[in-house]
């Protein structure tokens, strides 16, 4: 994977907890990423909420797969951690991810996604 360059597209997703109560901080982070010269693409379900998750497992999984499928996106940033990304592991399309390598980063329970992606690729 090459280093990111100004003008590259960076995707932002929420595969775990919802961002409604930290929306201001997320927007500030997105603004800072844009100031660095990157183009930010928000996932279509970024603002969703379903109990303690950022939408249904299907919606969150769809966002991950769409970001990996999009050839313009060079990196995917998980907006926040939480406690529900483990619901997505068994449904991740590891072949899609392997065929479309890109930077994928996050913290907290996002590690539950990072480890199997690393192991399968």
């Amino acid at each position: 994977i090459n280093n990111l360059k100004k003008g590259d597209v960076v995707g932002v997703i929420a595969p775990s907890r919802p961002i409604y109560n930290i929306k201001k901080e997320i927007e500030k982070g997105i603004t800072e990423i844009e100031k660095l010269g990157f183009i930010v693409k928000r996932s279509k379900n970024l603002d969703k909420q379903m109990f303690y998750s950022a939408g249904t497992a299907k919606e969150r999984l769809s966002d991950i797969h769409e970001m990996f499928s999009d050839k313009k996106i060079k990196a995917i940033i998980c907006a926040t951690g939480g406690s529900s990304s483990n619901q997505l592991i068994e449904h991740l399309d590891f072949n899609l991810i392997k065929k479309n390598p890109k930077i994928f980063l996050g913290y907290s329970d996002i590690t539950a996604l990072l480890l199997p992606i690393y192991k399968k690729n």
Side-chain angles (χ1 to χ4, degrees):
I1 298 174
N2 293 329
N3 293 329
L4 293 176
K5 299 178 285 304
K6 286 185 178 187
D8 282 348
V9 180
V10 176
V12 178
I13 62 174
S16 193
R17 82 175 174 139
I19 65 167
Y20 72 92
N21 62 343
I22 56 170
K23 182 78 171 160
K24 191 183 294 183
E25 291 86 352
I26 297 298
E27 289 303 322
K28 183 177 179 184
I30 288 172
T31 298
E32 292 301 317
I33 292 168
E34 290 171 336
K35 284 181 184 177
L36 291 171
F38 301 106
I39 299 165
V40 175
K41 179 177 179 181
R42 293 167 171 83
S43 64
K44 69 179 177 188
N45 296 301
L46 182 63
D47 294 315
K48 293 266 179 112
Q49 178 189 359
M50 183 170 185
F51 303 110
Y52 55 89
S53 296
T56 65
K58 188 175 182 178
E59 290 168 331
R60 293 178 284 130
L61 190 65
S62 171
D63 284 351
I64 290 173
H65 290 157
E66 284 182 29
M67 292 290 180
F68 272 102
S69 296
D70 189 334
K71 301 291 186 196
K72 294 178 185 171
I73 294 177
K74 303 299 180 195
I76 303 167
I77 299 173
C78 299
T80 186
S83 62
S84 59
S85 66
N86 63 329
Q87 297 169 339
L88 311 179
I89 297 168
E90 67 181 295
H91 304 290
L92 282 173
D93 185 342
F94 292 105
N95 287 327
L96 170 72
I97 295 168
K98 188 172 190 165
K99 290 177 184 175
N100 299 282
K102 50 192 76 186
I103 298 166
F104 184 76
L105 62 112
Y107 72 100
S108 185
D109 83 320
I110 301 306
T111 304
L113 300 174
L114 290 168
L115 292 175
I117 288 171
Y118 175 76
K119 184 176 181 182
K120 299 267 185 179
N121 289 304

